[in-house]
Amino acid sequence: MKWNLPVNGKRESDIVWIDLGDLGDLVYPQGPHEQWQDHGLGLLRTIMHQNGLKTDIVSTRAVTSWEQLAPKLRGYKMALMNVRSYTFPVALKAAQIFKEINPDGLVLAGGMHATVAPEEMAEAEAFDKICQGAGEEIILDLVRDPESFPRVFLGQGSRTMADWPEIDRELWPKPANWKEALANARPRRAVRAMKLERNFNWPMEPECGWGPPPVATIITSRVCPWQCVFCNEASYIPNMGRRPVSMVIDELNALDEKYGVGSVVIHDSMFFQNPKWLQEWIEQYPRRANKLWPYWAAGRADTVRQWPELFTALVRETNWNLISIGFESGSDRILKLLNKECTEEDNNFAIDLVNRIGDEMVAEGKEPPVFWSNIMLGIPGETDEDAFKTMRMLKRMKRVFPSISYYAPYPGSALGFQLIAEGKSLMSKDNYHRFPDDEKVKGVNYGFYRELLAGQYDAEVNRGLTDEQQQRGYEGMYQQALVKA
Ligand code: B12
Ligand code: SF4
C-alpha cells in the first residue's frame, strides 16, 4: 500500500486527528484568525499522548483540495475530529473521504456541533461515534474501546480546568510546507505559503495585528454565564472551575522559556467575570509573569459599569490593551431583543471610560488600550434607525478595531434554534461555512447593510456626533471590518 506522509511529518500511528477548517487556511490564509489553533484538539491529543495513545495529525487547512487530503488519510484505522457548526461541512466531507478510502476505519467525532445538532451529525453515516459535550474524561476509553459506546453519547468533562494538562503545542498542526504548496498550488500562493511558514512561529501562533509575535493563545475559563439569545453557551456547556491564576502564569512562563512569547490572546468567551479571580490576576500577573505581555481578552459593557475600578486596574496594571466587548448593538430595542442585559447607557459608559483611560495613558507616554468591538448587523427585527445608532456608537470609540458581522443563526443558541425552526435560516448544513458578506437570514435587507457599511448613510449616522467623531471610520473602513461569522 502506498503511504503518503501526513502534512506534519512521519506516520507514527494508525490513529489520525483531522484538524478542521477551510481548505488552504494554513497555506495562504485569508485572514489571521483562521490560523488559530484548536484548543479542543490540542487538549484531547495531549491527554492521549500522555497516556500512550499516539496519533498523527492531518489538517484540512494545510491542503488546498480534497484530492490532496485523500492520500494523507489512507491506511488509518481511526480518525478523530472536533466539529463546530462552522466546520461541519468540512468535517462531513473529510469523514466521507476517510470512510471511502478506509472502509473499515472508524470516525469518532465530538465538539460543539455534535453537542448542539447531534441529529444532523447522526444523519451522516460517515460518523461512527458522536460525542456530545466535553471529551477529556472519556477520550481514552473511547479510543481504546469504541464499541462499548453507543453511536451518540454524552461525554464527560473535568470538574475544574485545574485538572487539564498544559497543551503540548507541538501536537498542533504546522502551517503547510511551502515545497508541498509549490507542488500543489500556483506559484504566487506558494510564495504566500513560504511567508506563512516563516512567520507562523509554530508551535506558537502568528501575529494578527493585536500584539507582537509569537502569540500565545490560552483559555482560563470555559463558560460565560450570560444568556444572550444569539449565543447562550451556558445552556450547552456545563459549568467548570476556572484555571487557577498561578497555573495560567506558570504555563505562559514555560512557553516563554521554551519558545518565546510576544503577546497573549485569552480566548475565554468571558474573561471579565469572577472578580476574585481577576483580583488575583491583578496581584500576580505583573509580579510573576516573565514579562507583562499585552493581551486580548473579552468583557461586557454592563460589568465594566458595575466594576469600573477593577476594570481600570486590569487595563492599567496588567496590560489588558485589547479589550474585546460584545457591544453588538447601539439600540436598546435590539439589545433587549438579544437578551444582552446591557443598555445603551452601559455601552456608552464603557466607551467613555476606555476613551478616558486611553487619553490619560497617552498623556503619560504609554500605549493606550484599544477596543475590539464586536458588532452585529442584520438582526431580525432591526430597523434602519437601530443600525444607524449602532454605527453612531462605533464612532464614539476613539481607538477601536471594529469587528462587524451579520447576525448568524447558529444552532445551540435560542434565537438560532427559533429561526431554524421557522425556516428563516439561510445557514444550511452544507453552508454553515460563513463568509463575511453572505446572507444568513431570510427577510433581512442585506443590500441596505452593504450600503450602510460603504458609507452611503453617513449623513444619518453622523447626526448628533461631534466633528471629531464624524471623522472616525473613514469611508469604507467599516466595510473592511466585516468578519466571517
Ligand atoms: C476560542 C474560540 C474561537 C477562536 C479560535 C477558534 C479555534 N481555532 O479553535 C476564534 C476567535 C477564531 C473563534 C472564531 C469563531 N467562533 Co468561536 N469560539 C471560541 C471559544 C470561545 C473557545 C473554543 C475552545 O477552545 N474551547 C475549549 C475546548 C477545550 O473546547 P472544545 O473545542 O469544544 O472541545 C471540547 C469538546 O467539544 C469535546 N470534543 C471536541 N472534539 C472532540 C472530539 C472527540 C472525538 C470527542 C470525544 C470529544 C471532543 O471535548 C473537548 C474538551 O472538553 C468557543 C466557546 C467555548 N466556550 O468553547 C467559541 C465557539 C466555538 N465559537 C463559535 C463561533 C460561532 C465562532 C465564529 C463563527 C464567531 C463569529 N461570529 O465570528 C468564528 C468562526 C471562525 C471561523 N474560522 O470561521 C461558537 C460555535 C457555535 C457552534 N454551534 O458550533 C462557540 C461555541 C461560541 C458561541 N457560544 O457562540 N472562536
Ligand atoms: S454573547 Fe458574550 S456575554 Fe453573551 S452569552 Fe455569549 S459570551 Fe456571554
Side-chain angles (χ1 to χ4, degrees):
M1 178 186 297
K2 185 170 174 270
W3 278 50
N4 287 273
L5 293 182
V7 183
N8 290 312
K10 289 198 304 281
R11 260 182 203 241
E12 292 184 337
S13 167
D14 51 16
I15 307 173
V16 63
W17 265 97
I18 306 180
D19 170 67
L20 299 172
D22 293 345
L23 299 182
D25 274 350
L26 288 182
V27 187
Y28 43 80
Q30 302 300 314
H33 302 161
E34 284 74 21
Q35 302 163 54
W36 271 334
Q37 301 284 17
D38 178 344
H39 282 252
L41 174 153
L43 174 68
L44 298 181
R45 200 165 174 232
T46 300
I47 293 172
M48 291 175 70
H49 280 233
Q50 287 180 352
N51 287 276
L53 286 174
K54 298 285 183 225
T55 61
D56 289 341
I57 185 143
V58 164
S59 175
T60 59
R61 298 186 292 160
V63 295
T64 50
S65 70
W66 295 111
E67 292 69 37
Q68 280 172 39
L69 182 75
K72 294 179 193 299
L73 296 176
R74 184 170 295 126
Y76 285 105
K77 290 192 179 140
M78 189 183 279
L80 295 122
M81 45 176 94
N82 179 6
V83 188
R84 303 208 171 119
S85 295
Y86 56 84
T87 55
F88 176 69
V90 173
L92 179 59
K93 181 82 182 167
Q96 285 165 340
I97 291 175
F98 181 86
K99 296 293 276 190
E100 220 169 88
I101 52 177
N102 306 299
D104 297 328
L106 281 184
V107 176
L108 314 184
M112 285 301 170
H113 197 64
T115 307
V116 299
E119 65 303 326
E120 223 170 71
M121 298 279 295
E123 245 174 54
E125 277 174 27
F127 298 114
D128 294 290
K129 300 287 168 188
I130 299 159
C131 172
Q132 288 186 272
E136 60 269 31
E137 295 294 329
I138 55 95
I139 191 73
L140 299 174
D141 292 342
L142 176 68
V143 172
R144 285 183 182 133
D145 185 11
E147 291 318 323
S148 65
F149 286 78
R151 180 156 183 250
V152 181
F153 64 94
L154 208 56
Q156 173 71 48
S158 306
R159 203 179 37 83
T160 154
M161 289 174 70
D163 296 342
W164 286 7
E166 282 178 13
I167 289 178
D168 175 353
R169 289 166 194 245
E170 294 187 21
L171 297 176
W172 272 337
K174 282 182 182 169
N177 175 294
W178 70 268
K179 285 184 197 143
E180 193 177 342
L182 186 61
N184 293 310
R186 291 194 290 274
R188 284 238 310 269
R189 288 183 166 179
V191 170
R192 281 171 70 188
M194 194 192 297
K195 279 194 190 143
L196 177 71
E197 209 184 342
R198 202 175 43 220
N199 298 328
F200 198 91
N201 304 303
W202 184 92
M204 303 304 284
E205 294 170 76
E207 182 183 9
C208 71
W210 292 2
V215 176
T217 59
I218 50 163
I219 298 186
T220 76
S221 64
R222 188 77 180 85
V223 192
C224 169
W226 278 272
Q227 300 278 330
C228 308
V229 293
F230 58 92
C231 173
N232 61 304
E233 61 185 40
S235 67
Y236 57 93
I237 309 177
N239 203 7
M240 177 182 276
R242 197 166 188 170
R243 195 151 173 98
V245 167
S246 57
M247 286 178 91
V248 176
I249 297 172
D250 288 347
E251 179 167 356
L252 289 175
N253 284 345
L255 289 171
D256 183 45
E257 278 141 33
K258 201 159 175 196
Y259 310 112
V261 168
S263 58
V264 176
V265 171
I266 301 183
H267 260 332
D268 301 14
S269 296
M270 189 47 57
F271 169 76
F272 193 57
Q273 60 171 322
N274 190 339
K276 193 167 159 278
W277 191 99
L278 295 169
Q279 197 56 53
E280 227 181 288
W281 178 251
I282 293 171
E283 278 150 27
Q284 289 196 35
Y285 183 62
R287 279 194 300 115
R288 284 204 43 235
N290 286 356
K291 199 177 155 202
L292 196 61
W293 296 290
Y295 64 96
W296 180 105
R300 286 170 56 91
D302 61 340
T303 45
V304 169
R305 190 171 175 198
Q306 198 179 341
W307 309 317
E309 288 85 19
L310 183 67
F311 176 77
T312 307
L314 280 163
V315 174
R316 281 187 154 276
E317 290 166 41
T318 72
N319 212 358
W320 182 10
N321 80 339
L322 205 42
I323 303 159
S324 170
I325 303 268
F327 288 106
E328 319 303 355
S329 172
S331 158
D332 272 336
R333 219 177 62 77
I334 294 299
L335 289 166
K336 255 211 181 100
L337 201 140
L338 295 174
N339 196 31
K340 186 74 210 180
E341 293 184 50
C342 292
T343 59
E344 287 174 26
E345 235 181 284
D346 294 332
N347 287 354
N348 289 337
F349 180 92
I351 294 167
D352 293 344
L353 180 59
V354 171
N355 285 348
R356 195 169 65 238
I357 299 174
D359 288 347
E360 286 166 7
M361 289 177 71
V362 168
E364 292 160 23
K366 294 180 183 151
E367 196 70 43
V370 177
F371 274 127
W372 178 263
S373 172
N374 294 295
I375 298 292
M376 287 195 305
L377 293 172
I379 299 154
E382 188 172 58
T383 63
D384 294 1
E385 183 50 33
D386 292 324
F388 296 152
K389 284 175 99 173
T390 298
M391 299 311 284
R392 227 169 268 150
M393 172 183 75
L394 202 47
K395 288 193 166 202
R396 288 175 61 108
M397 301 175 203
K398 252 188 163 167
R399 303 168 187 91
V400 60
F401 288 115
S403 166
I404 305 175
S405 58
Y406 291 148
Y407 163 73
Y410 275 98
S413 65
L415 186 57
F417 276 145
Q418 185 191 325
L419 289 164
I420 293 166
E422 289 172 357
K424 290 188 183 149
S425 171
L426 292 170
M427 292 170 62
S428 66
K429 59 186 166 203
D430 28 272
N431 185 27
Y432 272 118
H433 175 91
R434 309 320 312 157
F435 290 104
D437 55 353
D438 64 357
E439 311 199 343
K440 286 137 181 159
V441 182
K442 278 185 197 159
V444 170
N445 180 2
Y446 291 97
F448 162 75
Y449 291 105
R450 279 190 283 270
E451 288 170 8
L452 174 69
L453 291 173
Q456 290 187 28
Y457 294 96
D458 276 359
E460 284 87 341
V461 170
N462 285 336
R463 205 172 299 137
L465 293 181
T466 64
D467 285 350
E468 192 205 337
Q469 288 167 341
Q470 289 190 23
Q471 300 310 313
R472 293 181 192 150
Y474 60 85
E475 216 175 86
M477 172 187 166
Y478 295 138
Q479 207 170 15
Q480 289 159 28
L482 198 60
V483 296
K484 207 158 140 182

